[in-house]
Each structure stands twice: as structure tokens, then as C-alpha cells.
Amino acid sequence: MIRIANRIVAEVLLTLKETIKQGITTLDLDIIAEEMIVKAGGKPAFKGYRKYPATLCVSLNNEVVHGIPSKERILQRGDIVSMDVGVIYNNYVGDAALSTFVEGSSDPLANKLMEITEKSLYDGIKECLSRARLQNISSAIQATAENAGFSVVRNFVGHGVGRYLHEPPAIPNYGKRGQGPMLMPGMVLAIEPMINAGTHEVDVLSDGWTAVTKDGSLSAHFEHSVVVTENEPEILSII
Ligand code: MF3
Ligand code: CO
């Protein structure tokens, strides 16, 4: 069931990525996502979670995570669009996110931030090995981000996922190799680096949700739900 929930998540994210273009609104994306999820026999996992009002989180540019879709937010060429989606299927949960540009970007810093943030996710996933320590994931993500001159958001973390959207363990995107709980086959982890071009500090806007970088710098976010096995980690939120 976690596999199916995550397959729906992956299909939604792929469709949204293909749909993004200048002039559409973040609410347009939310409507497409909800329709797809319901058609697939699922339910949005974020809607109603701690009173969150929408299916998607859509965060632009200096917004880190938890942007609320709105008909007033119109995508512009070159924007970073971070989209996060959760699906409940037969009471099991899938969760993933990706960032993409609206019709590409010519900003070298923004391009590097996107590449490094996605790479940091995959470097973390490589550490999802049976009997390894959780913070091996954290430390791999942190090294990739900081060696590129970027900073790791502290205020939000990855998490176990499956029966609920947020389960133990918390998965910080910074930490020390060799520390934390031992990973075991069957554990499903939502790993989600949020990386800023400037300071790691964030503010939350007066809507109670939207997290933005304190210095106005750009931010990117990539997330996969991954299952630990006796062998290589398996990414579930991929088609
Ligand atoms: N992927 C995010 C998370 O796992 C999105 C949660 S948004 C919320 O925390 F509205 F559900 F909180
Ligand atoms: Co998550």
C-alpha cells in the first residue's frame, strides 16, 4: 500500500512538472493534483493535516516549504517551483517533493542550487543501508550542500512515513556519521533536504505555514520515500 501511495505521488509530480509554464497559478497545480489523486483512488495526505488547507505545498524562489497554493501566485519564467505532495491510499501514506524551473533559468547560482540539492538527496539515499546509522544520511546530505557553499535548513526535517505522514525517526539533513538509530530492512524513510543559497535560517509568514529564507536567498527542496532493504535502498516515489 505504501508502494501504491508513492506511485500515485510520483505520477502527480511528473504530471505537474510537465504542466508548469509561465502564466499558470499555484492553485491550478493544486487542482490538477487533487483530481489525479482522487481518480487514482487516493486522498490528499496534507489537506486537513494540522489544518493545512490544500493538496500541495508549492513554494517559489525564496520560499523553502509549505507554500499554500493560491490563484494570486502566477508562475514567471525562471522561478524555482518546489512542489510537495502526500497521498493516502488504503490508509497508507506516500510523500515526495521536487523543485523545477519555470521554462528553465539562466541564473548560474539557481542552477547550481537545484543540482546540488537533488544530488544531496541521492547522496543521502545511498546511505539508507541495512544496519547503518540514520545520521549517515544526514551527514552525506550536509556534506554535499555545504561543500558547494550552500546551507542546510535546520527547522524542518525528513521523517519515517507509512501508516502516518510523519512517523519516527526524525531525519535531520545535518548530523554526524555513526550516530542515530540503526536502520533496518522494511523501514520507510521520507528524506527531504531543504537547501538555501544563503543563511540556513527561516521565517514563517503570517499565514502560519509558508517558510521563507530569512535573508531572501533562493531555496530548493527534493524528497523521496525510500525503503531500506537487505540490499540497495529502493526509491518508492519514482515511476
Ligand atoms: N513533505 C512535507 C512533510 O513531510 C509536507 C507536509 S505539509 C503538511 O512534512 F501540510 F502536511 F504539513
Ligand atoms: Co515529507
Side-chain angles (χ1 to χ4, degrees):
M1 294 303 172
I2 302 174
R3 265 180 208 292
I4 298 172
N6 275 295
R7 190 184 310 141
I8 300 169
V9 164
E11 283 165 356
V12 169
L13 286 173
L14 187 65
T15 299
L16 293 175
K17 201 172 163 178
E18 287 168 350
T19 303
I20 280 180
K21 58 175 196 288
Q22 184 169 332
I24 71 166
T25 71
T26 59
L27 185 65
D28 293 330
L29 298 173
D30 194 78
I31 291 166
I32 294 165
E34 180 158 356
E35 249 175 39
M36 276 188 77
I37 292 167
V38 170
K39 242 186 209 156
K43 281 186 306 195
F46 300 166
K47 210 173 202 176
Y49 180 87
R50 298 190 181 198
K51 302 202 178 133
Y52 187 73
T55 293
L56 292 182
C57 300
V58 187
S59 311
L60 306 182
N61 301 318
N62 63 311
E63 297 171 351
V64 179
V65 285
H66 302 165
I68 301 172
S70 160
K71 65 177 186 345
E72 319 296 340
R73 299 303 298 279
I74 303 167
L75 301 184
Q76 311 291 332
R77 179 167 296 140
D79 281 348
I80 295 178
V81 187
S82 300
M83 301 180 292
D84 193 344
V85 60
V87 168
I88 305 174
Y89 186 83
N90 282 348
N91 295 317
Y92 288 85
V93 183
D95 183 15
L98 60 78
S99 298
T100 186
F101 288 115
V102 180
E103 299 174 24
S105 167
S106 53
D107 176 354
L109 181 71
N111 276 286
K112 184 177 172 203
L113 177 67
M114 294 285 247
E115 277 165 32
I116 292 293
T117 305
E118 188 168 23
K119 181 174 191 298
S120 77
L121 170 59
Y122 283 93
D123 289 346
I125 291 170
K126 284 185 201 143
E127 303 288 343
C128 291
L129 299 172
S130 176
R131 293 167 186 83
R133 295 285 169 176
L134 179 91
Q135 287 189 36
N136 295 4
I137 303 169
S138 314
S139 118
I141 292 169
Q142 181 176 22
T144 297
E146 291 183 353
N147 290 339
F150 297 136
S151 70
V152 170
V153 172
R154 263 68 171 161
N155 289 30
F156 303 98
V157 297
H159 50 93
V161 64
R163 290 194 174 87
Y164 300 96
L165 174 60
H166 293 145
E167 298 183 16
I171 310 174
N173 295 302
Y174 56 95
K176 281 200 165 58
R177 178 163 281 279
Q179 298 203 0
M182 186 179 280
L183 304 179
M184 295 300 286
M187 290 180 171
V188 185
L189 306 174
I191 303 173
E192 48 179 321
M194 290 145 272
I195 307 298
N196 297 346
T199 180
H200 70 82
E201 291 184 289
V202 303
D203 283 323
V204 175
L205 299 184
S206 59
D207 62 16
W209 282 101
T210 313
V212 298
T213 57
K214 226 180 182 96
D215 59 3
S217 65
L218 294 174
S219 189
H221 178 212
F222 287 82
E223 175 178 25
H224 274 308
S225 292
V226 177
V227 60
V228 179
T229 78
E230 286 290 357
N231 302 301
E232 294 306 297
E234 186 186 348
I235 301 173
L236 300 181
S237 45
I238 217 162
I239 306 173

